[in-house]
Amino acid sequence: MAFPSLILNPATDEHLEGEGYKTGAATTFLWYLLAVLTVGISILLFYWKPVWCIRLLYTRCHVEVADIFILQDKYKQESVVKVVTKSVDSSLCSEYFYESSTDTKRTNAARDVINDISEDDDSDDRQALLSGDEDNVRGKVFRYIDHHSVRYIWNSKKRDYVRLHGLDVGVRCMSLHDKYTGVDDNTRKGLQLIYGVNEIDVEVKSYFILFIQEVLNPFYVFQIASIILWMSDNYYYYAATIMFISLLSIGVSLYETKKQSITLHEMVKTPREERTIFTQPDVRKTVTNYDLVPGDIIEVPVNGCMMLCDAVLLNGNCIVNEAMLTGESVPVTKTPLPHTRDEELFCPNEYKRHVLFCGTQVLQTRYYGNAKVKAVVVRTGFQTSKGELIRSIMFPKPMDFKFYQDAIRFILVLACVAVSGMCFTVYTMLAWQQPPGTVIKRVLDIVTIVVPPALPAALTVGMVYAQGRLKSAGIFCISPPRINLCGKLKLFCFDKTGTLTEDGLDLTGMVPFLGDGLHKVYDDARELPRGPFISAMATCHSLTRMDGVLSGDPLDLKMFEATGWTLDEPGEDTSRFDTLMPTVVRPPVGSEPPIEMFPGVKTEENVEMTTLSEVADVSGKTPYEIGIVKQFTFSSSLQRMSVITRTLGRSHMELYTKGAPEKITSLCLPESIPKDFNEVLKKYTMQGYRVIALACKPLHDLAWHHAQRITRDQVEKELTFTGLLIMQNSLKPETTPIIKELRVANIRTVMVTGDNILTAVSVARECGIISKSQRVIQVLAHPPTETQSARIEWLSHDTAESESEATDEELHFSRGSYQMMINAQKEDFCLTVDGKSFAVLMTYFMPLMPRICLKGAVFARMGPEQKAQLIEQLQSLGYGVGMCGDGANDCSALKAAHAGISLSEAEASVASPFTSKIPNIGCVPTLIREGRAALTTSFGCFKYMALYSLIQFVSVLLLYYGGTNLGDTQFLYIDLAITTTVAFLMGHTHAYHKLVPQRPSGALLSFAPMFTLFAQIILMATVQIIAYVYLHQQYWFTPNESTPGGDFATLTYESTVVFVVSSFLYITLAVNYSVGPPYRKRIWTNKPFFISAIVLWLLSLMLLFYPPEFVEKFLGMKHIDIKHYGFKIILLLFVVIHFLASTMIESFLVDSELFQRFSRCIRRKRRPNNKYKRVAMELVTSTWPPVGEVTYPIPE
């Protein structure tokens, strides 16, 4: 019978599909039966793969009656979660609480009755918890599942599990003001059952638990089985040594794991503090922060506090340090949530200027009169912004790296080789009439030889050393496996402000609108006439005074300081502004700006705004002061901020707005916009300046209490344009050389910024992201309208001095044809896209996205989620993508990239795989170099460990054939003195100092690595077999003394010769897999490895020609007299020939043109594997993009 699947978080990155299963007595019986029949092996398998246990032993059932679920995410990873059922007091009612009954039909009927309560319009899955009056005889229960610290609760009305949200989903803004006045004790009890404790907890497991989990790892289980086998075969020294090394490795691993857990636990732990809440508007109660639930009204202390939940500010102002989220220690002013339209839903990201986020520090509170600063709790625990951040660290996105996939496949290949070796061993053992116990031991021993337990550890050698070197360079990594991914990066995205350019802005000039155009540029704000322009500069900001020092956004600070005015916080001196206590700004005493009219557009409103002589007494009896009544804080989505002010002595208020020029002009009266606006804007943006537009508007008949409740969309319209601010954001000195270095290394660079598109293009040209020879084409996409479908305009950049008639975002691109694009793209070009166009492209033009992403160089006005979407689009083309940014708005992109580097020390940056203390992009080449070195080392070390096992495999099979074997100490010398030493030191070679265009191979099972691997296998097997045969031809050779049915002798000529010859082979391969440039430095720069290789080579020479007697005795070697030096010289010749042939295969054959042709012929590769290469080939013979034309969506 087919049962419906459980679908959670549909159409999101956290999409889950689940299968429900039910337990029973038969399940338990079968589990114990399998455990007995398999001698406990099934318990181990089910521990490693719990999904196997569920599918094998449990019964598939309907979601509603399931006791356990198998959940599969979008990455095809499966996990098992149990359904938790809790009893609930019968006095509580909720859509999640239903009557407990053993009869299914009665239960369903009861659910329909009990849950027939009015649902809040604000939410489907949170707000139905009410205090019940009826006395129910039956108890109540509710069910839920927890997955990755997210709770999904059974909703009996929907007959499905739903994700538990706080007040951040489906709640109207007006409801937060009007409906939530506090939570009574009865309701609180139910909410605490549903939401759990308000804490973000990272479990720190005990050493005992960690030890058990580590020992049960397949790697160590294999080690334990191998040690038991060796002990039973009398290899005591070897077994004891491996056991000691394993215990040491486990100890180090446990210490590091515990240390990391404690570090993360200390970073996120929630301290126990008391909070004052309101159960009713005037009824207070003290609770601990652990007891807070969504809907609580909390009082924010006057002296500030650490926020331990996400809460929306209802009244009063808060000065908050959000360095944890943004990395910027600049205090941010949080204002009360505005009273918006009834139907407008609350969204934390849209209203973040009104949200006190968990983990941020409230420095001060500001309020009027005796009113307290109140906030309503909207999210608790892991639902908070900080909780989501910690979840991203605890449950990172899985990596899809071909090298790791090939490594697993190769281990399976080795397992197949082991099977063939086992068959040969059985044949040989039977031929020597060995007892069954010995045959089993020898067969299992072959498995430990062919698939060495240390093989998986070889993958981490390069990463461990690279991580240490990165740490020394000031780059910290929380995801070591991503270091190898850095070796395959082909494209790097950069944020602009703070990453490519300096953090601060310099005010270069002020361009007020003087009626006849934007001609006059002021360098000194003190020369500006009194009017709306200087007033906007002095008031339109979010600055505050902390300990007597002005602080706030750097742009606001530069703008305000340029005016020379002073800012006074609320106090007794501002009581003249009615009952309001606003922030007041005023010019310096004696240096008030001259009283002049702005001769701009002569509208009635503009005259009122600029004729201040009527209200300001020149004699100074009425001082010139402006009070900031209300702030509409800056919104990146709206690209503007506004303030409502009142000038002392005036009868009405004024609105001042600043923001992106294209946005501000769209809100202004058309007649107030200067005719030369487009020309002037283009002039400055093409020079790389950041341009801010200012506008104003008188607000007649607006009383103070109306100003506090008015929404920004009611006032931010029909504005009067007042002028432009010209800001300069200079490049960091390291930017241009690093971009050049990356381009020389054939690593594509892309700018992804929230800034103006023209400014971004200018900076991209200046730093080299766009070369001077490239033609820039803007992809301007329009959403569909009632009369027209979605469309794309392809606008070619006009570098000539010509008058532009374009408006808004089209003002800087001409619509001329792109004639030089014909003839097979002889002229290179790049594309630029803004955020609005990107959204349209993602919705209506997905087939074009591969081409646009391939040629896109600048993506401007991009929001945080759009940045992440772009990264994913680039990854879908086959690019290895890196991202470098410095702000919280880059976090999503940093996590989505294969290698995200944060230049911020904010706590939010820990979600990024890499964090750099280097405050510029100089860390990028360092990371790529170390990634390439780590990948090359891991590649070489893995191949070395594979060949080491195969060399030993051939050695043992040869000796089994002759009825002998290597001795205990001989195995010990090979595995520890040689293999472990060189494998451990191979990764110590530092990264090469230069980035080269070619990237290291990341495919272990591709033709070239596999060809060389098999060539090395044939070569080393041939040398050992020839040496073995040559030994048997010597006149002094005597066969070993092993007899059929007896133990194999180890003190024989065969074991001695094979042992000595193979010792040279191990060292040779280690040297050949430690190649230097172009990804690592020369082998002799790795002094520990180089010295070890020389010492081991000399030791092997000593063992070959004249081993001391005590050494022969210790290693169990058969003495070969020195008079047989001719035989020994021939063996050395075999070894030298092997060294030369092996070196030629690794260093010369693979890179030769002949081999490349042979490789292409064998693979018959007709087209590239990577999609971006195929798209590039398509563009070579096309005339795309159709510049000057309009593209419409292709009907499906």
Side-chain angles (χ1 to χ4, degrees):
M1 179 180 176
F3 294 99
S5 297
L6 173 66
I7 306 296
L8 301 173
N9 311 316
T12 67
D13 288 340
E14 296 185 272
H15 176 83
L16 295 169
E17 292 188 18
E19 299 174 355
Y21 291 85
K22 194 166 183 60
T23 60
T27 301
T28 306
F29 173 76
L30 287 174
W31 190 91
Y32 281 107
L33 180 63
L34 275 176
V36 172
L37 293 177
T38 60
V39 198
I41 294 177
S42 65
I43 299 176
L44 203 57
L45 288 175
F46 291 158
Y47 173 78
W48 292 335
K49 290 288 187 180
V51 172
W52 292 358
C53 176
I54 303 302
R55 291 206 168 107
L56 183 65
L57 303 179
Y58 287 58
T59 305
R60 182 75 193 275
C61 66
H62 194 278
V63 170
E64 185 171 0
V65 295
D67 298 315
I68 199 164
F69 286 98
I70 296 177
L71 298 180
Q72 185 182 77
D73 61 20
K74 62 180 290 188
Y75 307 107
K76 305 302 180 183
Q77 291 185 325
E78 293 183 323
S79 56
V80 175
V81 295
K82 292 183 178 180
V83 176
V84 180
T85 303
K86 285 188 176 182
S87 299
V88 181
D89 191 290
S90 59
S91 64
L92 300 177
C93 285
S94 168
E95 59 185 326
Y96 303 134
F97 302 158
Y98 58 89
E99 188 176 341
S100 176
S101 174
T102 56
D103 184 82
T104 304
K105 294 181 179 179
R106 290 174 61 188
T107 301
N108 291 337
R111 288 177 189 151
D112 293 336
V113 174
I114 293 175
N115 294 289
D116 188 20
I117 58 176
S118 57
E119 294 187 48
D120 182 10
D121 293 335
D122 297 334
S123 173
D124 291 330
D125 50 12
R126 281 176 335 282
Q127 289 301 309
L129 181 64
L130 302 170
S131 296
D133 295 329
E134 59 274 358
D135 296 322
N136 298 307
V137 177
R138 296 181 184 276
K140 294 181 181 179
V141 296
F142 81 104
R143 290 182 294 160
Y144 64 89
I145 56 176
D146 286 335
H147 177 69
H148 288 180
S149 299
V150 176
R151 178 162 294 182
Y152 303 90
I153 294 190
W154 175 255
N155 188 314
S156 57
K157 286 192 172 181
K158 296 182 178 180
R159 292 288 191 270
D160 203 357
Y161 285 90
V162 294
R163 182 167 182 165
L164 181 64
H165 291 286
L167 304 184
D168 56 320
V169 175
V171 178
R172 299 192 305 271
C173 291
M174 288 300 294
S175 294
L176 292 174
H177 279 287
D178 302 335
K179 183 171 182 178
Y180 295 96
T181 58
V183 177
D184 59 59
D185 292 339
N186 201 36
T187 305
R188 172 182 301 282
K189 188 183 298 184
L191 287 172
Q192 286 175 340
L193 279 172
I194 293 174
Y195 287 95
V197 179
N198 174 36
E199 66 174 341
I200 302 171
D201 185 39
V202 177
E203 182 183 5
V204 179
K205 298 177 181 177
S206 66
Y207 276 113
F208 177 76
I209 297 297
L210 290 173
F211 176 77
I212 296 299
Q213 291 179 340
E214 193 75 12
V215 168
L216 292 179
N217 184 291
F219 167 72
Y220 286 112
V221 169
F222 188 42
Q223 285 275 38
I224 293 170
S226 300
I227 290 171
I228 293 173
L229 175 65
W230 298 326
M231 294 285 284
S232 67
D233 206 24
N234 299 326
Y235 284 94
Y236 298 116
Y237 292 125
Y238 185 72
T241 305
I242 295 298
M243 180 182 291
F244 173 77
I245 292 175
S246 297
L247 289 174
L248 184 64
S249 175
I250 290 174
V252 172
S253 177
L254 293 186
Y255 173 77
E256 289 297 326
T257 302
K258 181 92 170 180
K259 182 180 177 182
Q260 290 178 5
S261 296
I262 292 175
T263 300
L264 187 58
H265 176 79
E266 292 297 319
M267 183 184 78
V268 306
K269 72 176 182 179
T270 306
R272 180 178 291 273
E273 297 179 5
E274 291 189 344
R275 288 285 184 267
T276 300
I277 64 171
F278 292 85
T279 57
Q280 295 179 18
D282 297 320
V283 179
R284 297 184 186 182
K285 181 180 179 180
T286 301
V287 299
T288 67
N289 53 282
Y290 291 134
D291 298 324
L292 294 177
V293 293
D296 269 331
I297 303 297
I298 61 173
E299 177 185 334
V300 185
V302 176
N303 296 324
C305 64
M306 175 67 73
M307 289 302 300
L308 303 173
C309 60
D310 286 353
V312 174
L313 198 58
L314 297 179
N315 62 312
N317 290 350
C318 289
I319 312 299
V320 182
N321 183 349
E322 290 190 328
M324 185 280 292
L325 292 176
T326 65
E328 299 176 3
S329 57
V330 177
V332 178
T333 301
K334 298 287 185 172
T335 58
L337 183 71
H339 291 73
T340 56
R341 295 187 299 269
D342 288 348
E343 67 275 7
E344 190 162 351
L345 296 177
F346 171 73
C347 174
N349 291 331
E350 292 294 327
Y351 293 93
K352 60 184 179 181
R353 286 288 187 170
H354 315 291
V355 179
L356 304 174
F357 291 104
C358 180
T360 59
Q361 182 72 41
V362 178
L363 303 176
Q364 284 185 12
T365 62
R366 306 260 172 91
Y367 54 90
Y368 304 125
N370 295 321
K372 299 299 182 183
V373 178
K374 295 180 181 180
V376 57
V377 177
V378 292
R379 295 186 296 202
T380 59
F382 277 99
Q383 293 182 339
T384 63
S385 54
K386 184 176 180 179
E388 289 291 333
L389 170 66
I390 301 306
R391 284 205 315 119
S392 68
I393 299 172
M394 296 170 62
F395 313 105
K397 173 185 173 183
M399 292 180 300
D400 183 19
F401 192 26
K402 191 172 180 58
F403 176 63
Y404 298 128
Q405 298 171 355
D406 286 353
I408 300 300
R409 295 190 185 103
F410 188 77
I411 291 176
L412 295 177
V413 172
L414 292 180
C416 295
V417 174
V419 171
S420 64
M422 291 165 66
C423 296
F424 179 82
T425 301
V426 170
Y427 168 79
T428 306
M429 293 295 107
L430 293 178
W432 282 94
Q433 300 178 10
Q434 294 294 309
T438 302
V439 174
I440 293 173
K441 289 179 183 178
R442 294 290 173 264
V443 167
L444 294 177
D445 200 30
I446 288 294
V447 177
T448 65
I449 290 172
V450 178
V451 187
L455 192 58
L459 295 173
T460 65
V461 171
M463 292 186 295
V464 171
Y465 281 105
Q467 187 176 12
R469 291 193 294 267
L470 287 172
K471 187 175 181 180
S472 300
I475 303 172
F476 299 91
C477 175
I478 64 168
S479 180
R482 288 186 184 263
I483 296 176
N484 278 348
L485 278 173
C486 295
K488 296 295 292 180
L489 295 180
K490 183 67 177 176
L491 182 149
F492 229 97
C493 297
F494 296 96
D495 180 35
K496 184 181 77 69
T497 306
T499 303
L500 299 175
T501 63
E502 300 288 356
D503 285 316
L505 289 166
D506 294 321
L507 184 59
T508 303
M510 293 147 282
V511 189
F513 178 30
L514 301 177
D516 57 344
L518 299 169
H519 303 307
K520 189 171 183 179
V521 180
Y522 289 84
D523 297 325
D524 189 347
R526 290 173 295 183
E527 298 177 0
L528 287 168
R530 184 185 299 182
F533 189 87
I534 187 69
S535 298
M537 289 181 63
T539 60
C540 197
H541 53 71
S542 57
L543 300 178
T544 187
R545 200 172 281 281
M546 297 293 299
D547 298 325
V549 179
L550 270 182
S551 59
D553 185 271
L555 185 151
D556 290 347
L557 204 56
K558 286 284 185 182
M559 178 183 70
F560 183 76
E561 288 177 345
T563 65
W565 288 34
T566 58
L567 180 145
D568 291 333
E569 295 288 285
E572 295 180 359
D573 293 339
T574 59
S575 60
R576 60 176 66 98
F577 293 92
D578 299 328
T579 58
L580 177 63
M581 301 173 65
T583 297
V584 174
V585 294
R586 59 174 66 87
V589 178
S591 61
E592 287 85 352
I595 301 174
E596 293 184 7
M597 285 180 55
F598 264 59
V601 179
K602 300 301 182 182
T603 65
E604 181 180 350
E605 293 182 349
N606 194 39
V607 170
E608 268 199 278
M609 285 292 295
T610 57
T611 310
L612 299 180
S613 56
E614 299 176 2
V615 296
D617 187 354
V618 182
S619 65
K621 292 181 180 179
T622 305
Y624 182 29
E625 298 179 356
I626 305 176
I628 302 174
V629 176
K630 183 179 178 62
Q631 288 183 0
F632 296 109
T633 52
F634 177 78
S635 167
S636 56
S637 60
L638 298 178
Q639 300 176 21
R640 64 182 183 271
M641 79 160 290
S642 299
V643 292
I644 295 177
T645 69
R646 183 174 175 187
T647 304
L648 185 61
R650 300 213 64 169
S651 59
H652 63 266
M653 297 183 184
E654 299 92 19
L655 176 82
Y656 294 104
T657 304
K658 79 170 189 294
E662 59 268 25
K663 179 60 64 176
I664 296 300
T665 52
S666 68
L667 301 174
C668 287
L669 296 167
E671 61 270 20
S672 73
I673 301 174
K675 294 181 180 179
D676 58 350
F677 170 78
N678 292 335
E679 179 184 347
V680 173
L681 179 61
K682 179 180 178 181
K683 169 187 171 183
Y684 287 110
T685 52
M686 289 192 68
Q687 295 178 46
Y689 291 109
R690 183 173 180 181
V691 181
I692 307 295
L694 303 177
C696 61
K697 176 184 179 181
L699 301 174
H700 298 284
D701 302 323
L702 182 65
W704 173 80
H705 62 280
H706 289 149
Q708 299 306 309
R709 299 179 65 89
I710 200 167
T711 61
R712 65 190 310 164
D713 57 336
Q714 291 177 287
V715 292
E716 290 178 338
K717 58 185 179 181
E718 299 179 353
L719 307 179
T720 299
F721 181 84
T722 61
L724 300 173
L725 291 177
I726 312 301
M727 315 287 288
Q728 186 173 22
N729 190 205
S730 57
L731 282 174
K732 292 181 179 179
E734 301 85 2
T735 296
T736 303
I738 296 300
I739 295 296
K740 181 180 179 181
E741 181 181 0
L742 294 176
R743 289 177 68 90
V744 169
N746 200 24
I747 295 174
R748 188 180 150 203
T749 53
V750 174
M751 181 188 293
V752 188
T753 178
D755 209 344
N756 175 277
I757 194 168
L758 254 191
T759 303
V761 169
S762 175
V763 172
R765 278 201 186 278
E766 186 180 355
C767 70
I769 290 178
I770 299 176
S771 66
K772 295 182 179 179
S773 62
Q774 277 185 309
R775 189 73 176 270
V776 179
I777 300 170
Q778 186 189 15
V779 183
L780 188 61
H782 303 275
T785 62
E786 294 180 359
T787 58
Q788 198 170 17
S789 63
R791 65 192 189 281
I792 300 175
E793 294 183 74
W794 308 88
L795 309 177
S796 177
H797 194 281
D798 183 9
T799 56
E801 293 291 330
S802 61
E803 185 175 350
S804 174
E805 297 179 356
T807 60
D808 205 68
E809 295 178 0
E810 303 171 10
L811 55 94
H812 37 76
F813 287 94
S814 68
R815 303 174 185 268
S817 63
Y818 185 39
Q819 300 173 354
M820 302 301 291
M821 265 297 295
I822 309 174
N823 301 328
Q825 289 188 330
K826 292 182 179 179
E827 182 181 8
D828 192 14
F829 71 93
C830 67
L831 302 177
T832 63
V833 184
D834 61 23
K836 289 182 179 179
S837 296
F838 185 83
V840 175
L841 293 170
M842 289 289 291
T843 305
Y844 302 101
F845 296 94
M846 278 301 293
L848 289 179
M849 285 305 294
R851 292 188 174 191
I852 291 171
C853 289
L854 178 74
K855 300 302 292 184
V858 172
F859 293 83
R861 296 293 190 210
M862 298 282 281
E865 292 306 319
Q866 288 181 319
K867 291 183 179 182
Q869 289 173 355
L870 174 63
I871 296 293
E872 292 171 354
Q873 285 295 312
L874 292 168
Q875 289 172 334
S876 68
L877 291 179
Y879 280 113
V881 183
M883 172 71 192
C884 185
D886 73 323
N889 59 342
D890 299 317
C891 275
S892 297
L894 292 172
K895 288 186 288 185
H898 291 120
I901 313 177
S902 173
L903 304 185
S904 168
E905 295 185 14
E907 192 172 309
S909 69
V910 298
S912 173
F914 301 94
T915 304
S916 173
K917 283 192 173 181
I918 306 170
N920 56 67
I921 64 171
C923 59
V924 172
T926 302
L927 183 61
I928 297 176
R929 286 195 298 268
E930 290 294 350
R932 290 181 173 185
L935 180 58
T936 305
T937 299
S938 296
F939 212 85
C941 196
F942 186 87
K943 290 198 291 185
Y944 171 74
M945 292 299 294
L947 282 173
Y948 139 74
S949 66
L950 292 172
I951 290 173
Q952 199 169 87
F953 173 70
V954 173
S955 301
V956 170
L957 291 186
L958 271 176
L959 296 176
Y960 282 176
Y961 181 77
T964 184
N965 197 5
L966 294 174
D968 190 0
T969 51
Q970 289 174 345
F971 275 120
L972 202 61
Y973 176 79
I974 291 171
D975 288 353
L976 296 183
I978 298 179
T979 304
T980 302
T981 301
V982 297
F984 179 74
L985 296 175
M986 280 174 70
H988 200 265
T989 307
H990 285 219
Y992 196 53
H993 67 277
K994 184 180 179 182
L995 277 178
V996 295
Q998 65 268 28
R999 297 177 299 164
S1001 175
L1004 188 63
L1005 297 183
S1006 60
F1007 178 77
M1010 293 306 296
F1011 177 86
T1012 58
L1013 199 62
F1014 280 108
Q1016 295 285 8
I1017 291 173
I1018 294 171
L1019 184 61
M1020 65 85 180
T1022 302
V1023 170
Q1024 289 191 85
I1025 292 171
I1026 291 176
Y1028 184 85
V1029 172
Y1030 184 62
L1031 170 66
H1032 279 257
Q1033 294 175 348
Q1034 303 306 305
Y1035 70 91
W1036 44 265
F1037 171 75
T1038 56
N1040 74 78
E1041 301 174 356
S1042 299
T1043 57
D1047 292 335
F1048 279 1
T1050 57
L1051 191 62
T1052 64
Y1053 284 120
E1054 292 102 320
S1055 63
T1056 299
V1057 168
V1058 170
F1059 166 68
V1060 173
V1061 170
S1062 64
S1063 297
F1064 282 102
L1065 303 187
Y1066 295 124
I1067 301 168
T1068 295
L1069 290 173
V1071 171
N1072 284 332
Y1073 286 131
S1074 297
V1075 293
Y1079 308 119
R1080 295 185 293 185
K1081 291 185 177 180
R1082 301 288 180 183
I1083 187 172
W1084 52 79
T1085 62
N1086 184 353
K1087 293 180 181 179
F1089 175 81
F1090 191 63
I1091 294 173
S1092 297
I1094 292 175
V1095 170
L1096 289 171
W1097 185 273
L1098 294 175
L1099 280 175
S1100 297
L1101 283 175
M1102 181 192 73
L1103 294 177
L1104 174 62
F1105 285 103
Y1106 192 75
E1109 184 178 347
F1110 74 92
V1111 174
E1112 283 186 326
K1113 185 176 181 180
F1114 176 75
L1115 292 176
M1117 296 172 59
K1118 182 84 171 179
H1119 181 71
I1120 301 176
D1121 200 278
I1122 190 63
K1123 65 181 180 181
H1124 305 309
Y1125 67 88
F1127 170 75
K1128 297 185 177 183
I1129 289 176
I1130 295 298
L1131 290 183
L1132 180 62
L1133 182 62
F1134 291 159
V1135 170
V1136 172
I1137 291 173
H1138 172 266
F1139 176 82
L1140 295 175
S1142 176
T1143 303
M1144 185 173 295
I1145 290 172
E1146 293 297 332
S1147 301
F1148 301 103
L1149 178 62
V1150 177
D1151 297 328
S1152 67
E1153 180 63 28
L1154 182 63
F1155 180 80
Q1156 297 296 332
R1157 290 180 181 177
F1158 175 68
S1159 174
R1160 286 192 292 268
C1161 180
I1162 294 296
R1163 291 180 298 166
R1164 296 180 179 179
K1165 187 175 178 181
R1166 297 181 179 180
R1167 65 174 191 166
N1169 292 327
N1170 289 322
K1171 186 176 179 180
Y1172 71 86
K1173 291 182 179 179
R1174 298 197 298 270
V1175 175
M1177 291 175 64
E1178 294 173 3
L1179 292 182
V1180 170
T1181 56
S1182 72
T1183 58
W1184 191 88
V1187 180
E1189 300 178 14
V1190 177
T1191 302
Y1192 295 94
I1194 300 175
E1196 297 183 0

